[in-house]
Amino acid sequence: MAEVRFQRIGLVLHPQRPHAWGLAEAVAEYLQRIGREPILLPAETLDRVEIVAGWDLAITFGGDGLVLRVARYAAPAGVPILGINLGRVGFLTEIQPEEWLEQLSRVWEGDYWVERRLMLEACWIREDQRQGPFYALNDVVIGRMGLGRIVRVRVEIDGRYFTTYIGDGLIVATPTGSTAYALAAGGPILPPELKNIVLVPIAPHLSLDRAVVLDEGVRLTLTVHTEGKAALTIDGAGDEPIAEGDRVEIAAAPFSARFIRLRDRSYFYRLLATRLRRMVADE
């Protein structure tokens, strides 16, 4: 008997994307016909790891932002992700909506490879009260809120003082996040399967103004010093107000985000070149 690949499949959709519901329902009907068990749910109902525990695969119907949200819960549960692109950029998604039937058939036949991407684990500490852990596929950002005073972020690497960034904030990014906010702030572009962590200052003022690439095994402690308002943002979500003396501890998570890939292994460079050409054309 042939192996049955991915029996219980979560279908997570972005409720505000046009055609997401209809496409997800069509895929669910197809999965039922071939003997799979689809679980259909809107993205806003996915808020804890236990929901995806027991899934064999998560299929997303949206853009890269939805993939970031799903990875937060699927990665700790060891559930691989396959994205159907209903967004614009599609750095993380894999399938175009018009080709879903053909491409899913390839998955069932085993014609795919698994890409593993570094995740970050962050804890927020205030007066010895610890919150977290929180998980990020792109980045953890400490930044000022609105117009106001600069933020000072003291950085320790493995318990030793490294530097203090002064400016609008600091981005701690994964290789996945190196093509997101970190790139806009002047950081380097890293291939997605590297295991490095990148520090990228935001609008630095009289402080280190270059990005720094760190080994995956480091542990960071960021201490915030500000007379204004600052916020902690994880993968673009949260904007949690942080105060003078708050600390954020960051390290590589003990698991990776896993993605089902159907393109060849050099796809990232072609996609990156396309995006960079588009950026130049838009200038």
Side-chain angles (χ1 to χ4, degrees), residues 59-183:
I59 301 179
T60 63
F61 298 79
D64 287 347
L66 178 59
V67 174
L68 293 176
R69 180 185 181 93
V70 172
R72 196 178 309 158
Y73 306 105
V79 177
I81 301 168
L82 176 62
I84 297 180
N85 184 33
L86 300 179
R88 291 179 300 167
V89 177
F91 258 107
L92 298 176
T93 56
E94 187 69 10
I95 298 175
Q96 295 304 313
E98 65 275 8
E99 62 184 19
W100 68 265
L101 182 57
E102 173 189 355
Q103 299 289 43
L104 287 181
S105 297
R106 290 180 58 191
V107 174
W108 315 145
E109 294 167 2
D111 184 17
Y112 64 87
W113 57 281
V114 178
E115 180 183 70
R116 298 177 182 270
R117 296 193 178 206
L118 178 75
M119 296 278 292
L120 296 178
E121 179 180 280
C123 290
W124 172 23
I125 304 163
R126 173 177 292 173
E127 297 179 352
D128 297 325
Q129 296 296 313
R130 179 180 293 263
Q131 297 186 48
F134 308 102
Y135 300 113
L137 177 58
N138 260 358
D139 50 41
V140 177
V141 179
I142 293 175
R144 70 176 186 174
M145 297 178 65
L147 298 176
R149 298 180 181 275
I150 59 176
V151 177
R152 289 178 171 82
V153 182
R154 173 190 167 94
V155 177
E156 296 177 24
I157 300 176
D158 292 335
R160 294 182 177 273
Y161 176 72
F162 173 61
T163 191
T164 296
Y165 290 96
I166 305 170
D168 284 0
L170 179 66
I171 304 167
V172 182
T174 66
T176 300
S178 73
T179 58
Y181 190 11
L183 178 60

Side-chain angles (χ1 to χ4, degrees), residues 91 179 183 189-190 267-279:
F91 258 107
T179 58
L183 178 60
I189 297 172
L190 302 183
Y267 82 92
F268 172 76
Y269 303 102
R270 294 196 305 274
L271 186 61
L272 177 63
T274 299
R275 182 181 178 187
L276 292 177
R277 286 195 298 268
R278 189 177 303 162
M279 290 169 61

